[in-house]
Amino acid sequence: MKSKQKLELTWVGKENRPRLEPRILIEDTEKSYHATARVSENDIFDNVLIHGDNLLALKALEADYAGKVKCVFIDPPYNTGSAFTHYDDGLEHSIWLGLMRDRLEIIRRLMSEDGSLWITIDDNEAHYLKVLCDEIFGRSNFMANVIWEKADSPRMDARFFSTRHDNMIVFAKNSEYLQINHIVEEGGDAPSHYNKLDEKGRRYYLKPLRAMGVDGTREARPSMYFALTAPDGSKVYPKNPDGSDSRWRWSPERVQQELWRIEWVKGRKGWSANFRIYADDNDTRPPETIWTHAFAGSNRHAKSEAKGYIDGIRPFDTPKPEKLLSRVIQIATNKGDIVLDSFAGSGTTGAVAHKMNRCWIMVELGEHCFTHIAPRLRKVIDGNDQGGISKAVDWKGGGGFRYYELAPSLLEKDKWGREVISKQYNAEMLAQALCKLEGFAYAPSPDVYWQQGHSSEADFLYVTTQTLGSKELTTLSEDVGEGRSLLILCAAFRGNTDLWPNLTVRKIPNHIHSRCEWGHDDYSLNVANLPQAEVPIAPVSRQGGLFDDGDVS
């Protein structure tokens, strides 16, 4: 038995982790899109849309975006069971949990210290996912399980319960640093609990001046246990219902400053002091954990919006309403912050983030990346999308995005089965890929040919497909000089490298062949890409085919 045990969720294959290749991203300039002119000073042009496997894409983003993403919203496959026909229940959940764990670990590294993660999920996996996130983020960083009313009417044909909600699990990277924005009250009458009017006609409600709950003890704040004078001149001390000493919420100084807000109510046990909370003093409020369809939209709203994204293309099957995303983004971010969605779907996260002047990164493996998302974003940028939240934020267009494909695997097998550098890589791509693999920032110097990347001000990387001899290595060592170091990745080299202490020389691809799972292009949650359980082979029936002459021998 282990001396140190921890509470954790276990599943079949939990110990198995993919050895991901850190791919580079290649821009497809024909699919990138930018407004022809700047519309406002808030326009953001360097948004990122990636077509490719989202686990590989997250790994590709890590070098440049680690610690920078303020808000992550993901709407992963819900694992309702329909995708796992050939699996028993334990293996089905195990596959899903493993795939989610691998993504969430990278997502956490991408998040800023004050960042937050929002995951929409139904009850089928919500509770397992919550425990999984507890392991990755820490239970103290669990913020809320928001209930979103996704359906605005009951399903009368439901066999058991008519499900009208989804869960939205919210975690902080570090709750010590998390700051969230309050909800801005929309126009209209004050909420019904503002049930009183003062002499000027302002709406307010009363709240006890006595501290309540666990804070309602004299010991908690001794200086706030004192007498107030009731309307009949009697002295009133803060007391709990059981007669024990409590304390006031306000200090004696604040009582004197805001005496006009104190209102006395006489009950069976005597006078109680209350203070007024005005509706017009509170045009914002903390976000709550129940989001109605009126507050955040519904599936019906989302499907109605989807019809207006692009003409002549079948709408996406399961979109999320723009209002839902606008609530998340408004609470979790400020203008200019980075929002990430690695299960982009129809692109709602990017569309809403764009209209709200946030930077966005989206990843989508399916073909709707270019059939639905890119056309939708072009319409947003041109200002022609006036659906969703456009009118609420007075959207006029502007900004742009860059469209990327994941590069092919760096290593491929030749006709003899040996791993060699892919023929699809040119010299620049090779240098960039090896920088990423070695943890160097790719930053080729225009003046110094061997400074292609750096890990510090004095540590550089040089990639070449040439064979280097003693003469070339001596020249490089002299150029690097004292106080600096150079990692050289080359096709081959000759000579004793101990002679050049400021150089580290390695052959490629030998140096990297055991690092990753080369050639693995799809880690998706699509069941078609997962290992299938064996299906029993039915006995062959000895019957004639359609084109047989009936003689079956």
Side-chain angles (χ1 to χ4, degrees):
M1 188 174 181
K2 294 180 179 179
S3 59
K4 289 186 178 181
Q5 292 181 308
K6 64 177 182 178
L7 189 66
E8 65 177 319
L9 183 66
T10 61
W11 63 84
V12 177
K14 181 178 181 179
E15 69 282 1
N16 299 328
R17 294 174 182 269
R19 294 182 300 114
L20 298 175
E21 176 187 358
R23 304 282 183 95
I24 63 173
L25 298 171
I26 302 174
E27 184 178 1
D28 186 337
T29 55
E30 292 186 0
K31 291 188 176 74
S32 297
Y33 194 79
H34 298 86
T36 55
R38 182 175 288 276
V39 175
S40 75
E41 62 181 15
N42 296 318
D43 289 358
I44 299 172
F45 292 90
D46 289 328
N47 299 299
V48 174
L49 176 58
I50 302 172
H51 176 230
D53 178 84
N54 67 359
L55 185 57
L56 287 171
L58 289 170
K59 186 67 177 177
L61 291 167
E62 193 173 1
D64 295 322
Y65 289 94
K68 296 180 181 179
V69 176
K70 185 67 175 292
C71 171
V72 179
F73 174 89
I74 56 174
D75 182 27
Y78 284 6
N79 189 17
T80 57
S82 59
F84 292 92
T85 306
H86 302 300
Y87 298 92
D88 61 38
D89 182 69
L91 185 56
E92 166 198 335
H93 291 286
S94 294
I95 292 170
W96 190 87
L97 286 167
L99 293 170
M100 288 302 299
R101 185 271 314 275
D102 297 337
R103 287 154 177 79
L104 290 171
E105 287 182 338
I106 301 178
I107 283 172
R108 185 184 182 279
R109 295 196 289 270
L110 291 171
M111 290 167 60
S112 60
E113 285 298 303
D114 59 349
S116 58
L117 166 68
W118 305 64
I119 312 174
T120 51
I121 197 75
D122 69 6
D123 286 339
N124 188 58
E125 292 287 6
H127 307 88
Y128 295 94
L129 180 61
K130 197 289 186 172
V131 178
L132 175 63
C133 289
D134 283 342
E135 286 191 30
I136 296 170
F137 289 84
R139 290 185 69 174
S140 63
N141 291 314
F142 170 67
M143 294 292 101
N145 180 23
V146 175
I147 302 301
W148 169 50
E149 186 187 20
K150 66 178 180 180
D152 50 20
S153 61
R155 284 181 51 205
M156 304 307 294
D157 60 346
R159 184 183 177 192
F160 296 115
F161 288 86
S162 174
T163 303
R164 294 182 59 177
H165 78 279
D166 272 352
N167 304 279
M168 188 152 52
I169 297 174
V170 186
F171 271 81
K173 170 77 170 286
N174 187 336
S175 60
E176 295 283 332
Y177 296 98
L178 181 68
Q179 293 184 344
I180 61 175
N181 300 315
H182 281 198
I183 296 294
V184 178
E185 295 283 4
E186 297 178 345
D189 294 334
S192 59
H193 64 277
Y194 289 90
N195 55 359
K196 295 180 177 293
L197 292 175
D198 70 2
E199 59 278 1
K200 296 181 180 179
R202 298 166 62 199
R203 293 179 68 95
Y204 70 94
Y205 74 93
L206 291 177
K207 191 168 186 177
L209 188 60
R210 174 177 60 85
M212 312 288 279
V214 294
D215 292 328
T217 65
R218 183 175 180 176
E219 292 76 14
R221 298 286 295 276
S223 64
M224 299 177 85
Y225 179 83
F226 54 90
L228 294 179
T229 304
D232 63 358
S234 61
K235 299 297 182 182
V236 177
Y237 287 87
K239 297 286 183 177
N240 290 310
D242 63 1
S244 62
D245 291 343
S246 183
R247 67 175 181 86
W248 301 117
R249 295 174 186 268
W250 294 358
S251 66
E253 294 76 19
R254 187 175 180 188
V255 167
Q256 293 303 314
Q257 292 170 358
E258 302 191 49
L259 197 60
W260 61 274
R261 288 181 64 189
I262 295 179
E263 189 170 315
W264 291 90
V265 176
K266 189 170 187 179
R268 288 182 299 173
K269 295 185 177 181
W271 292 100
S272 64
N274 303 273
F275 65 100
R276 297 177 178 182
I277 297 180
Y278 283 89
D280 54 6
D281 288 340
N282 292 273
D283 56 357
T284 67
R285 57 183 172 84
E288 300 180 29
T289 55
I290 296 180
W291 292 12
T292 65
H293 69 268
F295 176 77
S298 67
N299 283 343
R300 184 172 58 82
H301 293 131
K303 290 177 180 178
S304 177
E305 291 171 356
K307 295 176 182 177
Y309 295 162
I310 35 180
D311 300 326
I313 296 179
R314 182 176 178 272
F316 190 72
D317 290 333
T318 56
K320 290 292 184 284
E322 290 200 6
K323 196 169 185 179
L324 175 69
L325 268 300
S326 72
R327 294 298 188 186
V328 172
I329 292 171
Q330 188 265 316
I331 292 167
T333 68
N334 298 305
K335 288 184 178 180
D337 286 338
I338 300 175
V339 179
L340 167 67
D341 185 349
S342 55
F343 293 90
S346 64
T348 301
T349 301
V352 173
H354 202 100
K355 295 175 187 179
M356 295 178 70
N357 302 120
R358 273 67 166 174
C359 302
W360 55 264
I361 303 170
M362 290 194 292
V363 183
E364 181 52 53
L365 174 62
E367 64 179 17
H368 44 279
C369 188
F370 47 84
T371 61
H372 288 70
I373 299 176
R376 178 180 185 180
L377 268 297
R378 288 196 291 267
K379 194 172 182 180
V380 169
I381 291 164
D382 290 339
N384 296 327
D385 174 5
Q386 288 302 303
I389 67 165
S390 292
K391 290 183 172 59
V393 299
D394 193 29
W395 179 248
K396 303 296 184 185
F401 67 90
R402 300 183 185 278
Y403 186 104
Y404 293 93
E405 296 278 356
L406 286 168
S409 182
L410 177 59
L411 298 188
E412 63 183 14
K413 290 189 176 180
D414 64 13
K415 61 183 179 180
W416 291 284
R418 298 175 303 185
E419 287 179 326
V420 296
I421 300 296
S422 170
K423 297 181 179 63
Q424 299 182 62
Y425 276 70
N426 58 31
E428 181 182 350
M429 291 170 61
L430 178 61
Q432 187 178 352
L434 290 173
C435 279
K436 187 169 291 235
L437 190 65
E438 296 289 343
F440 283 67
Y442 176 66
S445 168
D447 303 316
V448 183
Y449 72 95
W450 50 264
Q451 291 184 7
Q452 295 177 323
H454 60 82
S455 63
S456 69
E457 293 183 357
D459 189 22
F460 300 92
L461 181 144
Y462 172 47
V463 177
T464 177
T465 56
Q466 302 298 313
T467 297
L468 301 179
S470 297
K471 181 179 179 181
E472 291 85 0
L473 292 172
T474 299
T475 301
L476 282 167
S477 179
E478 292 173 352
D479 286 350
V480 172
E482 293 185 5
R484 297 194 297 186
S485 59
L486 179 65
L487 171 61
I488 302 172
L489 301 177
C490 58
F493 62 90
R494 294 188 297 270
N496 181 7
T497 56
D498 293 338
L499 297 174
W500 307 285
N502 57 354
L503 304 183
T504 300
V505 190
R506 297 288 184 266
K507 292 200 296 183
I508 50 173
N510 295 8
H511 174 58
I512 62 171
H513 78 90
S514 61
R515 296 275 192 93
C516 310
E517 297 171 350
W518 307 103
H520 196 150
D521 294 319
D522 197 338
Y523 294 89
S524 73
L525 275 73
N526 183 349
V527 73
N529 302 309
L530 301 174
Q532 295 291 310
E534 292 184 7
V535 179
I537 300 174
V540 178
S541 176
R542 304 282 297 171
Q543 295 180 356
L546 288 175
F547 300 101
D548 290 341
D549 59 6
D551 180 14
V552 181
S553 58

